[in-house]
Amino acid sequence: KNYHLLDPKRITTIDSFITHSDPPTPNAGHNSMNSLTRPRALSLYRQLLRGAKKMPTPNRQNFVLKKTRAGFRANRNLDDPEDIDFHLRLADTNLDTVLVQAEHLSRIMSDPKYHSE
């Protein structure tokens, strides 16, 4: 991933991991994702689920899993291409955040000084 694109000063904590949930659209049964959007959404979803497994504690893992599932479930019926693109970009940003934090927290928790203080 492009970790260099993330400014460490602007990365928020996983606790403020935001999933934008909009109310269901009137065409709730209609899915207007085009043939390129669906694979991208599924790929991001799978990557976020895999990213959750990299978190160093079960609580963090479960938090990311629940937020990911809830966010994708809340937005699965979007039909406005701009909204879909926005939420996919948001999911991509969230993926970067999860991966950076998983690496950072794992490094901190593996430090012997962390457990001795």
Side-chain angles (χ1 to χ4, degrees), residues 47-58:
Q47 289 177 68
L48 278 160
L49 295 181
R50 280 189 226 111
K53 293 178 183 178
K54 295 179 181 182
M55 284 292 180
T57 65

Side-chain angles (χ1 to χ4, degrees), residues 17-78:
F17 179 80
I18 298 175
T19 12
H20 207 78
S21 57
D22 293 332
T25 59
N27 299 331
H30 176 67
N31 187 349
S32 66
M33 278 196 192
N34 68 33
S35 62
L36 298 176
T37 306
R38 182 173 171 79
R40 180 177 168 209
L42 292 173
S43 175
L44 282 168
Y45 181 74
R46 286 189 298 266
Q47 289 177 68
L48 278 160
L49 295 181
R50 280 189 226 111
K53 293 178 183 178
K54 295 179 181 182
M55 284 292 180
T57 65
N59 284 343
R60 291 282 174 180
Q61 292 172 1
N62 289 331
F63 179 80
V64 175
L65 288 172
K66 286 178 184 178
K67 291 297 275 186
T68 298
R69 289 177 180 140
F72 275 81
R73 194 174 300 123
N75 295 305
R76 70 177 162 203
N77 294 319
L78 292 178

Side-chain angles (χ1 to χ4, degrees), residues 78-117:
L78 292 178
D79 60 359
D80 178 26
E82 287 183 21
D83 280 347
I84 292 169
D85 185 58
F86 170 79
H87 285 89
L88 289 175
R89 284 185 285 119
L90 181 62
D92 195 40
T93 301
N94 290 339
L95 174 60
D96 287 340
T97 302
V98 166
L99 295 176
V100 167
Q101 288 188 7
E103 182 181 336
H104 176 72
L105 292 171
S106 295
R107 190 174 33 234
I108 288 174
M109 294 183 85
S110 67
D111 185 354
K113 293 178 185 176
Y114 174 79
H115 297 287
S116 65
E117 293 179 5

